[in-house]
Amino acid sequence: MGIHSVVNMASHLQNASRARLGITSVPHAKYCLSVALALHRAGFISFVTRGGVHPPDPATVTTFEPEPLTNANVAKQRLWIGLKYSDNAPVLRTISAISTPKRKVNANLPALQRLVRGFDASHQRGLNLGECLFVQTDRGTLEARECVQRKVGGLLLVRAGP
């Protein structure tokens, strides 16, 4: 599927949070799973689970056991994502894709250091308070501040903020 699945996922999550949905689904893909887990680690979403075409029960999502992944059902698998709300306002207010299939944006360590401190770099504006920038590295999908700590650069995927 590739990068275009992340672009679709970003717009879908923004539309779902504006529509005040509690749970939504995106296609099961490697990039979507890595970005969803990174959003979960950053605290923007409440849970991520794999399932079929029907959503899991939100009350029992912690004990939900998805069916095994086989060649027969791989096309029907979805990632079910629980959206967070605080004081009736979405925690994930804006999310936008940076890299697209035609234009992949990479950032090295000095560019990421500038972005994290709030300065413009790599044709991107610096991060504001509460914003996160997710980067695909050889160590997985990390937030930009983690990349600076681990001294790695990579492909800029999405920018999320409250």
Side-chain angles (χ1 to χ4, degrees):
M1 291 202 79
I3 267 255
H4 69 280
S5 60
V6 174
V7 174
N8 291 340
M9 176 184 168
S11 65
H12 179 76
L13 286 177
Q14 183 163 343
N15 290 340
S17 68
R18 285 183 180 171
R20 307 269 194 232
L21 298 180
I23 186 171
T24 187
S25 72
V26 295
H28 186 279
K30 178 179 74 169
Y31 275 124
C32 288
L33 179 62
S34 66
V35 169
L37 290 174
L39 286 168
H40 179 65
R41 279 193 311 269
F44 286 109
I45 56 179
S46 60
F47 67 86
V48 178
T49 186
R50 180 175 48 85
V53 293
H54 301 293
D57 184 23
T60 60
V61 76
T62 56
T63 60
F64 177 72
E65 188 66 34
E67 61 186 60
L69 195 60
T70 62
N71 287 339
N73 69 359
V74 72
K76 296 179 184 175
Q77 293 296 307
R78 313 271 304 160
L79 288 176
W80 290 93
I81 299 172
L83 300 174
K84 272 187 176 178
Y85 296 93
S86 175
D87 296 330
N88 206 16
V91 173
L92 181 66
R93 199 168 298 220
T94 61
I95 181 169
S96 60
I98 296 172
S99 291
T100 62
K102 283 189 171 186
R103 183 176 164 250
K104 294 183 174 145
V105 180
N106 288 303
N108 55 10
L109 183 59
L112 282 175
Q113 289 172 336
R114 287 186 54 81
L115 286 171
V116 166
R117 287 183 300 190
F119 298 109
D120 296 348
S122 295
H123 303 290
Q124 298 297 315
R125 62 182 173 80
L127 292 177
N128 292 325
L129 285 175
E131 278 189 325
C132 290
L133 183 66
F134 295 100
V135 182
Q136 180 68 37
T137 67
D138 56 347
R139 298 180 186 172
T141 302
L142 303 173
E143 205 272 326
R145 291 170 187 90
E146 292 177 67
C147 290
V148 170
Q149 287 176 349
R150 296 183 184 188
K151 296 185 167 106
V152 294
L155 179 70
L156 303 180
L157 291 176
V158 295
R159 176 186 210 113

